[in-house]
Amino acid sequence: MIKKIVIFLQMIKFEHTVFALPFAFMGALLGSEAINHELPSWEQIGWVLLAMFGARSAAMGLNRLIDRVSDAKNPRTANRAIPAGLLKIGEVVLFVIASFVLLFWAAAELHPLALKLLPIAVIMLVLYSYTKRFTWLCHVVLGLTIALAPLGGWAAVTGQVDWTAMVFFATITFWIAGFDIIYACQDVEFDTKEGLYSIPVRIGVAKSLKIAQAFHIITALGFIGLLLMTDLGGWYIAGMVIAYLILFYEHHIVSPGDLSRLQTAFFTMNGVLSIVVFSFTLIDLVVRHY
């Protein structure tokens, strides 16, 4: 039983939850501070956590089901749970259904707006896995999908979505899309052979890395926008500066001629960035309240 649970966690890349979860919490923090002038309750944070786990588990499970044939052909992904025979298709289908049930349950325990917006999230979660089959903008769709986490966190505790929330949403959209473009550079040959779409396939690795840089400049501007639109102060600024250094380093270690440190740029750097920005935002708000 434990072994099976570990396989499921490996299938959904549980450790990658660190990309979106801190920003979902940050959305809840900023929204509650802006609208209610207080920090969200522990109960609200708990339901946001469960909603995030359900959404991400459902999305990754669907992605693995939809991509199982191409995953089996790609040497980089052939050892994933389904093509490797570690999980049966029926097991993954049940896992996806259970994950969606968890998502709906958690959303129902938060503000009614969260439940009303849920169909949009479900559509995006399902749509993303198919976009690489018909559009090179699949990276942007992924960004829009994952950026629903901070937007959802905001709406879940406030019952509304304002311009500050939308700036946060756009900031995370371009952050995700930018590093997904970098990640896609390693699969250019395979994707081209299989007729799959991506920005690196369309314009090449060199130009794609430039696009990723441009996207992350927008992200950097978005963090400044949040500073100007909220009451965040010195601690947030410190975290923002660290995030800028991380983004700079991420692009510094990856080049068209050397993708050997791509995994570091994709996984380690972006995981650290999300934790840093959330942590310094939390400190900023806690210091103000206590």
Side-chain angles (χ1 to χ4, degrees), residues 50-98:
L50 289 177
M52 274 296 303
F53 182 76
R56 192 178 183 285
S57 298
M60 290 299 296
L62 277 172
N63 182 265
R64 296 298 185 251
L65 282 170
I66 294 168
D67 286 350
R68 64 186 184 277
V69 175
S70 59
D71 281 348
K73 297 178 182 178
N74 189 342
R76 184 178 65 82
T77 58
N79 63 344
R80 286 178 175 172
I82 297 178
L86 300 177
L87 291 175
K88 298 178 180 178
I89 293 177
E91 292 176 322
V92 180
V93 169
L94 289 175
F95 176 80
V96 170
I97 293 173

Side-chain angles (χ1 to χ4, degrees), residues 66-169:
I66 294 168
D67 286 350
R68 64 186 184 277
V69 175
S70 59
D71 281 348
K73 297 178 182 178
N74 189 342
R76 184 178 65 82
T77 58
N79 63 344
R80 286 178 175 172
I82 297 178
L86 300 177
L87 291 175
K88 298 178 180 178
I89 293 177
E91 292 176 322
V92 180
V93 169
L94 289 175
F95 176 80
V96 170
I97 293 173
S99 298
F100 273 127
V101 170
L102 176 61
L103 172 59
F104 275 86
W105 177 35
E109 295 294 330
L110 291 162
H111 195 281
L113 180 61
L115 199 58
K116 292 178 181 178
L117 294 176
L118 196 56
I120 298 175
V122 172
I123 290 172
M124 295 296 290
L125 290 173
V126 175
L127 176 65
Y128 164 68
S129 294
Y130 289 101
T131 53
K132 67 184 70 174
R133 289 164 171 79
F134 62 86
T135 178
W136 52 274
L137 290 174
C138 53
H139 318 285
V140 177
V141 177
L142 177 64
L144 290 169
T145 302
I146 295 182
L148 290 172
L151 192 65
W154 184 292
V157 300
T158 66
Q160 65 182 67
V161 173
D162 61 16
W163 283 109
T164 304
M166 292 307 298
V167 167
F168 194 17
F169 174 70

Side-chain angles (χ1 to χ4, degrees), residues 19 23 33 41 47-48 54-55 64 74-75 78 81 84 145 179 181 186 202-203 226 241 257 289:
F19 292 156
F23 284 126
E33 171 67 19
S41 68
W47 288 117
V48 169
R64 296 298 185 251
N74 189 342
T145 302
F179 77 68
I181 291 171
Q186 65 185 322
R202 183 179 177 87
I203 64 175
L226 284 177
V241 170
H289 281 279

